[in-house]
Amino acid sequence: MPIARILFTLPLPEPFDYTVPEGMVLEPGSYVAAPVGPYDRLGMVVEVLPDQIGMNRKLKAVSAVYDVPPMSAPMREFLSWTAKYTVSHPGMVLGMALRAREALLPSPVELRYRLAGPPAGRLTPARAKVLEQAAALGLASSSELAAAAGVSSSVVKGLVALGALEEIEEAVDLPFPAPDPELPGAVLTGEQAVAAVELREGLRSGGFSSFLLDGVTGSGKTEVYFEAIAEVLRADEDAQILVLLPEIALTQAILARFEHRFGAAPAPWHSGLNPKERRRTMREVLHGRARIVIGARSALFLPFRKLKLIIVDEEHDPSFKQEDGVSYHARDLAVMRAKLEEGAVILASATPALETVVNAEAGRYIRLRLAARPGTARLPQIELVDLRTAPPDKGKWLSPILERAMAERLAAGEQSLLFLNRRGYAPLVICKACGERLKSPGTENWLTEHRYSGRLVCHLTGYSIPKPALCPSCGAADSLIGVGPGVERVAEEVRVLLPNARIEIFSSDTAQGGEATRGIVERMAASEIDVLIGTQIVAKGHNFPNLTLVGVVDADSGLKGGDLRAGERTYQLLSQVAGRAGRAERPGRAYVQTYAPDNPAMQALAADDRDGYLAIEREVRSELGLPPFGRLAALILSAPSADLVDSFALQLAQQAPNSEGIELFGPAPAPIAVLRGRHRRRFLVKSSRNVDLSAYMAAWSTRLKVPSQVRLSVDIDPYSFL
């Protein structure tokens, strides 16, 4: 009897062996159910071995096999590579590919009804109304017919018994409409057309290819990569395309553009979908029927049948880095998946990451440039507002320069956008009587005041309480005050400054879900908002034709801390925010409030000198051997007590393997030293480019048995140092 080696969607280090029952046909990639303990678990066949001749082991049998196409060989190789690279259990990585497990089953069905012939019995007025609606609707459910006719569903059932209506079983999860690559696209500028031709030629050559689409904000990168999508759709009727975006808000905004270009919206995949929507998308991907998928970073793990093109839009965005569970960067994994699929990858950005620029200059990516906006649109002029010489009035956060500019824009019927990457009303709440700073229990995280909801919230843990009337420490009444600005406080200031302006806040608090996000974006695009005040959600991909002024309230906040990419991220984010202005006929202007106008990132921003800034970053990181000229990995420990985590961290440090080209730093308390009641310690490992850092971290992290109360996680190429 053959043996199947099965990998389960569990945190297990290796596959397990099971016998294959007679008559069951399995192959590598087959999805199966098999017993693990008392329950059947979902797994995937890694290998099928011949009859167990000479083996004395008593094995359990595979319970069932799912009637779906097996996982492709490139996808299996991708999951295996990801597990090794990220130092993760392969079963955890497999679980990321099978998040909507109901997709392995056939679509649920529902009964629908249509006209079948004249009724065999008396035609009452109620029945006549139902038949009239059935003729108009064609095919409808019982509830739809009953509601349209204004009768009860029993009348519909009665007409079925009389032979006037027939029942039809219809799948609940319908296929996605097929995209049409032959529909006309936008008229491309000369620069866009050159980039589109290079993309098409590269795709026609077949095999793996990689591109950097490097274009300023508003230069039409989307229209250019639409031409690449059309080329892939034309060339192979089975080819599938994945477009990765960093935010759900962008996913919602771009769906209409896809539908206009290809006559059909792509299949979506992101955390905002309900279970039915996720089930539908994954089933259609699995069977190869979803030709275009657009989604967040997790869409990279969908089990495509024939993935031939991956587009990573806004490739520089830190949202592509997954921090929880399996830590990975979707941009880097997208390049590897395209390589294993023998497909193509396009990285698109107005402010590409230094890692991506270095790869392009080394010839690993073909670089395509879009240096100008189409038509009469021009890049906004950026002016630094030195808060040391032009400070806001006492109790305010907007400088007089920015206040005047906003008033002028409102008088001209134009829109303004204020950017502050802090949610809520105030990022810190203190007691003016005793100085107590309110924190989330079991952490060192400050609570943020949300004035509109009257609550104090920890944005890291989700902890939330109504704002107390008394100080929890000293009991003083009415002594708790908010310190510093959040978007709610800035909105309050703008309402006093511009009492007749229509003002809205755009953050994850006000835009919860696709409908709310879409509503704000549509109102802004229709000029129904005069001043939009938002967090980083406003910086990405939105096109507001009447927006001519951008104000950055606190440009320095991103420069703080020990993050090696702090300056680069600040430049990228502020450049993207400023790029929202002047995207149509009217010129745009951006005012950047800062106490550090001499910072290289600020100087480069004002001079529109991205390449000059990257040259500075390159020199510093090359000198220090930091990415992309060296490699980093983090090892994070947490435990319920400081003594326990310190004791194990010391043991782990003593067990670190000796290896040439490796430097070990730590253990040290993490910047967020206590989180959800657990004390955290960090190691940072630095290596040269030629060291297999994943293998080193795997060998080190398994040298000691981890105590049950201690958690250990590895992050290859960390982006967060908290």
Side-chain angles (χ1 to χ4, degrees):
M1 189 174 292
I3 297 174
R5 305 203 71 208
I6 299 174
L7 180 66
F8 292 96
T9 56
L10 298 169
L12 300 171
E14 59 188 1
F16 288 78
D17 292 347
Y18 290 81
T19 59
V20 181
E22 188 175 348
M24 182 181 288
V25 178
L26 298 181
E27 59 180 298
S30 293
Y31 302 100
V32 297
V36 178
Y39 304 106
D40 277 353
R41 302 284 188 178
L42 174 62
M44 182 197 70
V45 176
V46 175
E47 185 181 8
V48 180
L49 304 173
D51 294 356
Q52 51 172 336
I53 301 173
M55 299 181 69
N56 296 320
R57 292 183 298 161
K58 185 174 181 181
L59 301 176
K60 295 179 180 179
V62 178
S63 302
V65 58
Y66 290 92
D67 185 19
V68 294
M71 182 180 287
S72 68
M75 177 66 176
R76 299 198 306 273
E77 189 176 355
F78 171 67
L79 295 183
S80 176
W81 180 88
T82 299
K84 291 177 182 177
Y85 183 78
T86 61
V87 194
S88 305
H89 289 307
M92 293 179 65
V93 179
L94 176 64
M96 294 163 60
L98 297 174
R99 292 188 176 180
R101 300 177 185 182
E102 299 82 1
L104 298 173
L105 301 171
S107 170
V109 296
E110 65 178 357
L111 290 176
R112 298 177 75 80
Y113 300 87
R114 67 184 179 191
L115 290 175
R122 185 170 63 90
L123 186 62
T124 65
R127 289 173 177 173
K129 288 181 182 178
V130 171
L131 294 178
E132 181 181 339
Q133 293 301 322
L137 297 173
L139 191 64
S141 68
S142 174
S143 58
E144 289 170 342
L145 281 174
V151 300
S152 68
S153 58
S154 62
V155 179
V156 177
K157 296 293 185 183
L159 285 169
V160 173
L162 294 174
L165 294 177
E166 64 175 331
E167 292 180 336
I168 303 292
E169 281 193 349
E170 185 174 77
V172 172
D173 300 341
L174 298 177
F176 291 97
D180 182 359
E182 304 304 334
L183 290 176
V187 177
L188 302 182
T189 65
E191 197 175 44
Q192 293 169 344
V194 169
V197 168
E198 287 198 53
L199 278 176
R200 285 195 292 264
E201 289 178 350
L203 293 168
R204 286 170 189 158
S205 64
F208 171 64
S209 56
S210 51
F211 302 87
L212 168 59
L213 186 55
D214 182 357
V216 299
T217 55
S219 60
K221 294 183 290 295
T222 304
E223 299 300 340
V224 172
Y225 71 62
F226 275 177
E227 295 305 304
I229 292 173
E231 179 66 30
V232 172
L233 292 173
R234 290 189 197 102
D236 187 343
E237 63 181 11
D238 296 323
Q240 295 172 286
I241 294 121
L242 171 62
V243 181
L244 293 179
L245 297 172
E247 296 283 352
I248 295 175
L250 285 183
T251 307
Q252 299 295 331
I254 204 171
L255 284 174
R257 297 181 67 182
F258 268 90
E259 190 165 5
H260 181 263
R261 172 62 180 85
F262 297 105
W269 183 268
H270 51 74
S271 60
L273 299 180
N274 61 42
K276 176 183 175 181
E277 292 168 328
R278 293 171 71 86
R279 179 186 71 206
R280 179 192 182 199
T281 292
M282 182 171 159
R283 183 184 292 107
E284 296 304 298
V285 167
L286 180 66
H287 287 271
R289 296 187 293 257
R291 300 293 307 281
I292 305 176
V293 176
I294 185 169
R297 61 185 179 231
S298 60
L300 186 62
F301 290 90
L302 285 169
F304 289 89
R305 298 291 301 144
K306 196 175 185 180
L307 183 58
K308 283 302 173 187
L309 176 61
I310 303 174
I311 297 167
V312 185
D313 206 347
E314 309 288 358
E315 64 83 30
H316 67 277
D317 198 287
S319 298
F320 282 123
K321 175 67 177 184
Q322 166 73 31
E323 304 284 358
D324 299 325
V326 177
S327 296
Y328 66 90
H329 199 297
R331 177 196 62 217
D332 301 336
L333 266 60
V335 175
M336 177 54 69
R337 178 147 197 201
K339 183 176 182 179
L340 294 173
E341 298 275 0
E342 296 186 357
V345 61
I346 300 172
L347 309 179
S349 177
T351 54
L354 179 60
E355 288 87 345
T356 302
V357 171
V358 169
N359 279 328
E361 292 175 350
R364 299 185 186 95
Y365 305 148
I366 300 169
R367 192 172 192 170
L368 309 173
R369 288 184 179 269
L370 301 176
R373 290 179 169 179
T376 59
R378 295 291 180 268
L379 289 171
Q381 182 178 347
I382 299 177
E383 179 178 329
L384 301 181
V385 178
D386 188 344
L387 293 178
R388 298 170 301 182
T389 58
D393 294 338
K394 186 176 181 180
K396 293 186 176 182
W397 306 98
L398 304 180
S399 69
I401 295 172
L402 186 52
E403 287 182 340
R404 285 194 297 272
M406 291 173 63
E408 290 169 0
R409 292 305 190 278
L410 181 64
E414 298 171 3
Q415 294 171 299
S416 299
L417 185 154
L418 295 181
F419 170 75
L420 176 63
N421 207 20
R422 295 195 196 102
R423 294 158 55 191
Y425 183 83
L428 171 64
V429 179
I430 67 171
C431 174
K432 60 186 179 183
C434 69
E436 174 73 8
R437 301 183 178 193
L438 272 64
K439 301 175 183 177
S440 176
T443 76
E444 294 298 310
N445 307 323
W446 296 339
L447 293 176
T448 296
E449 180 181 0
H450 286 249
R451 182 68 58 90
Y452 294 152
S453 64
R455 301 186 72 83
L456 307 183
V457 180
C458 173
H459 292 151
L460 196 61
T461 65
Y463 175 80
S464 171
I465 58 170
K467 184 178 180 180
L470 306 177
C471 171
S473 178
C474 70
D478 300 323
S479 64
L480 299 179
I481 59 172
V483 177
V487 287
E488 292 178 11
R489 177 171 275 188
V490 172
E492 186 177 85
E493 184 176 335
V494 174
R495 286 190 179 94
V496 174
L497 174 69
L498 305 172
N500 297 320
R502 296 165 296 177
I503 300 164
E504 285 203 38
I505 295 173
F506 193 9
S507 72
S508 56
D509 297 314
T510 61
Q512 296 182 349
E515 287 299 323
T517 298
R518 198 158 38 240
I520 293 175
V521 171
E522 289 175 354
R523 288 194 297 278
M524 187 68 181
S527 293
E528 296 173 8
I529 300 171
D530 297 314
V531 182
L532 186 65
I533 302 163
T535 59
Q536 65 178 355
I537 196 172
V538 305
K540 303 168 183 178
H542 305 296
N543 186 24
F544 304 130
N546 198 36
L547 175 62
T548 58
L549 174 68
V550 167
V552 178
V553 178
D554 181 3
D556 306 329
S557 60
L559 297 173
K560 300 165 186 174
D563 187 342
L564 69 97
R565 297 181 180 87
E568 181 186 6
R569 285 183 181 173
T570 296
Y571 177 86
Q572 289 168 339
L573 181 58
L574 299 187
S575 179
Q576 293 279 342
V577 171
R580 298 310 105 200
R583 295 171 74 95
E585 303 84 29
R586 302 180 183 183
R589 193 175 186 89
Y591 291 93
V592 178
Q593 296 190 159
T594 175
Y595 285 101
D598 297 327
N599 183 281
M602 300 300 171
Q603 288 292 307
L605 196 67
D608 189 24
D609 186 15
R610 187 199 70 187
D611 292 342
Y613 178 70
L614 287 178
I616 296 173
E617 280 285 301
R618 176 201 302 270
E619 184 178 350
V620 171
R621 292 201 216 166
S622 178
E623 182 72 23
L624 298 175
L626 294 172
F629 307 101
R631 298 195 61 198
L632 292 176
L635 191 150
I636 304 99
L637 303 172
S638 69
S641 72
D643 289 343
L644 178 57
V645 74
D646 286 334
S647 174
F648 185 71
L650 182 60
Q651 296 177 53
L652 199 60
Q654 294 169 345
Q655 291 296 318
N658 293 320
S659 181
E660 188 175 346
I662 293 281
E663 293 182 74
L664 177 64
F665 303 93
I672 300 178
V674 183
L675 180 62
R676 298 185 179 93
R678 299 183 67 84
H679 296 258
R680 305 169 72 241
R681 301 293 182 266
R682 286 179 60 97
F683 290 91
L684 191 64
V685 181
K686 178 183 167 187
S687 78
S688 55
R689 294 293 305 173
N690 60 354
V691 170
D692 188 344
L693 193 53
S694 297
Y696 177 89
M697 298 301 290
W700 180 26
S701 60
T702 55
R703 283 198 167 189
L704 284 176
K705 183 178 180 181
V706 182
S708 60
Q709 290 185 302
V710 176
R711 296 174 190 162
L712 180 153
S713 63
V714 174
D715 187 357
I716 303 295
D717 301 325
Y719 264 56
S720 170
F721 295 84
L722 298 178

